[in-house]
Amino acid sequence: MRIAFIDLEAPPRTAAVMSTDAPSFGEAPSRAASPSLLAWAGAARRGGDDVSYHLVAPAALQDAALTERLGSSDSIVVAAASASARTAGEVVAALGQRHPQAKIELFDPWSQPRPQSGMPAYELSPRGVALSEVDVSPLPDPTHPWVVPPVPNVAASESAARVIAATAAAPNQSEAHLYLNDDRVVIDMPRLQFLAETVRASLRDRKVLMHLHLRAWPHQLLSPHLLDHLSLLPVGSLDLLAGSVLDASLGRMESALTAADLTRCLAEVLRSGLAHLSRLSVVLGLPGESADHVVAVINETFRLAVQHRISRLRFSFWLGPAATTNRPAASVEDEQQRFMAAHPSWHEIEYRGVQDLLALAAMANKQIRVVGPLHA
C-alpha cells in the first residue's frame, strides 16, 4: 500500500507583525516534522507499506506540484492540529478533489494517541530540524508547560533513544538543529555529558554539527558549574521556563523557583555567555493574578531582561489548568473564551488591554513573542 503522510504547517500563533521574521541568530527555521506523524509513518514502513512524507502549507493542498508528488497514493494521512487555519472538512474536500481514489484520514496529534508504538522515522523529513523526545511542541514558539504541556511519547528515562535516533537521521549537511523539548528531563551533569557525547559522535561519524535547542527550568541551572559546562556545548537556544517573576504566583504554581532564584539564574546565564542565546518564557494571568498584577509582571520581566542582556522574551496567557486545556487555542474567540472562563474576576476590557500592551511591545521589538492569537 502507498501511504502519504502530510504535516500541515500551522499558521503562526504569534502577533502578525512577527509572522514573516527570519530566524534570529542561533535559532533554527520555524518548520519541523511532527514526531507523532513520523512514528505512524515509521510503523507503516516497517509493516511493508510504501510511505512518503510531506510538509506543506494549507494553501498548497490543491497545488499541482503536490498532487504530482502524492501520485496514486492509496491512503493519505494528514496531521491537522486544532490550531490549523483550515477545518477538517476543508482539508478532506481539498484532497478529495485531487485524489478521489485515496482514503483520507485526519490525525490530530494533540488529542489522539499514536496508532503504533516505535521510533519516529526522522529520516523521512530531511530538513535538518528535528523534534526529539516529545510528539508535539510547536515551533517556533512553544508555550510554557504551565499553559499547554508538550505531549511526551516516552518516559523521561527513555528520551535518550529518541535523541540518538534524531541525530543519526540528520541529513548529510554541515549543520542541523535538534530540539530537546521534554521539560520533564532534568538538566544535570549526566544530561550534559550525554549531549556532549551525542554531539561529538555526530561530528566524528557524520561531520554534522548539531545545534541544541534546550528548554530548562531555571532552578536546575543553578547547580554548581552546570552553566559553565553547558556553555561549552553548541547551544542554539536556551528557553528559560521561568513561568513568573512574582513569588506569590510561583508559590501557587508549586514552582521550585523564587523571584530571587530567577534573578540569580539570569545573572549566571549572563556570566556564562549564554544570555544572547536565551529566551525568558513567562505566563500571564496565573491563578490569583489581576490585570494590575499582569502589568507588573510584564514590567518586571522587561527590567530583568534589560539588566541581564536577554533580548528574547516569550509571553503566554494562562487559559486554565493545563490538565484540562491540553492544547493551544484554535482561534482568537477560543482563546478569549477560555481565558475569561478561567478568570471570572477579569473584565473583557482588561484582557484586551493587556493584549494591546503586548502587541505594541512586539511591534517595537521583534524579539518579543506573544504566543497565541491576539485579538484583531
Side-chain angles (χ1 to χ4, degrees):
M1 178 181 293
R2 298 188 64 183
I3 307 177
F5 293 87
I6 296 178
D7 253 329
L8 285 184
E9 286 186 312
R13 297 189 297 113
T14 57
V17 69
M18 298 175 289
S19 62
T20 58
D21 286 351
S24 302
F25 174 75
E27 290 188 312
S30 60
R31 303 170 64 180
S34 164
S36 56
L37 193 65
L38 292 182
W40 190 338
R45 188 170 62 178
R46 289 189 294 272
D49 294 319
D50 180 9
V51 305
S52 61
Y53 171 83
H54 314 271
L55 177 63
V56 300
L61 286 173
Q62 298 190 49
D63 286 354
L66 178 61
T67 299
E68 183 178 355
R69 280 187 289 158
L70 296 182
S72 56
S73 299
D74 301 300
S75 178
I76 300 175
V77 179
V78 184
S82 59
S84 174
R86 293 198 171 217
T87 64
E90 290 174 328
V91 171
V92 172
L95 291 172
Q97 291 175 358
R98 295 275 183 165
H99 309 277
Q101 82 289 347
K103 175 186 177 182
I104 301 173
E105 298 181 66
L106 291 172
F107 173 65
D108 184 352
W110 286 100
S111 62
Q112 298 183 14
R114 294 191 308 125
Q116 300 287 342
S117 60
M119 192 68 64
Y122 292 109
E123 65 278 5
L124 290 178
S125 179
R127 292 190 175 275
V129 182
L131 293 174
S132 69
E133 302 183 316
V134 296
D135 277 349
V136 177
S137 190
L139 293 176
D141 290 302
T143 57
H144 191 285
W146 290 349
V147 180
V148 180
V151 180
N153 173 65
V154 294
S157 60
E158 300 173 9
S159 66
R162 278 204 168 194
V163 173
I164 294 172
T167 303
N172 291 321
Q173 55 194 40
S174 59
E175 298 178 296
H177 296 264
L178 186 66
Y179 278 78
L180 306 163
N181 284 338
D182 192 344
D183 62 273
R184 303 170 305 162
V185 179
V186 176
I187 305 293
D188 55 14
M189 294 304 289
R191 169 75 160 174
L192 296 189
Q193 182 178 1
F194 163 70
L195 294 178
E197 292 172 350
T198 301
V199 169
R200 186 183 304 113
S202 178
L203 277 172
R204 181 188 63 240
D205 301 335
R206 308 180 69 247
K207 305 300 186 290
V208 178
L209 175 61
M210 299 299 301
H211 294 278
L212 306 177
H213 299 265
L214 301 167
R215 306 181 82 192
W217 297 98
H219 71 273
Q220 296 179 1
L221 300 180
L222 289 172
S223 297
H225 309 298
L226 192 142
L227 279 166
D228 291 329
H229 286 81
L230 178 60
S231 66
L232 299 176
L233 296 176
V235 177
S237 64
L238 178 60
D239 195 1
L240 300 170
L241 302 174
S244 182
V245 297
L246 300 181
D247 278 324
S249 295
L250 291 168
R252 282 191 289 265
M253 297 303 292
E254 299 182 354
S255 172
L257 191 70
T258 66
D261 290 336
L262 176 60
T263 300
R264 187 158 56 94
C265 177
L266 297 183
E268 286 298 300
V269 168
L270 175 60
R271 182 195 59 79
S272 64
L274 293 171
H276 69 294
L277 297 173
S278 299
R279 171 171 282 142
L280 190 57
S281 182
V282 174
V283 184
L284 303 176
L286 289 169
E289 290 185 357
S290 66
D292 289 339
H293 288 132
V294 168
V295 172
V297 168
I298 295 172
N299 289 335
E300 178 64 7
T301 301
F302 287 162
R303 188 192 70 80
L304 289 172
V306 171
Q307 178 183 353
H308 299 98
R309 303 179 190 176
I310 294 177
S311 60
R312 303 179 195 176
L313 304 176
R314 180 188 288 117
F315 294 100
S316 307
F317 287 91
W318 192 76
L319 305 179
T324 59
T325 56
N326 205 34
R327 60 174 58 238
S331 65
V332 172
E333 295 76 17
D334 181 27
E335 179 171 80
Q336 178 169 327
Q337 182 180 16
R338 286 161 59 176
F339 184 90
M340 297 307 296
H343 301 79
S345 63
W346 280 57
H347 192 280
E348 180 182 335
I349 294 178
E350 294 176 310
Y351 167 69
R352 296 171 73 89
V354 170
Q355 287 204 330
D356 286 339
L357 172 62
L358 289 174
L360 288 172
M363 291 177 66
N365 183 351
K366 293 184 179 181
Q367 298 282 31
I368 297 174
R369 304 290 179 89
V370 186
V371 178
L374 294 177
H375 69 75

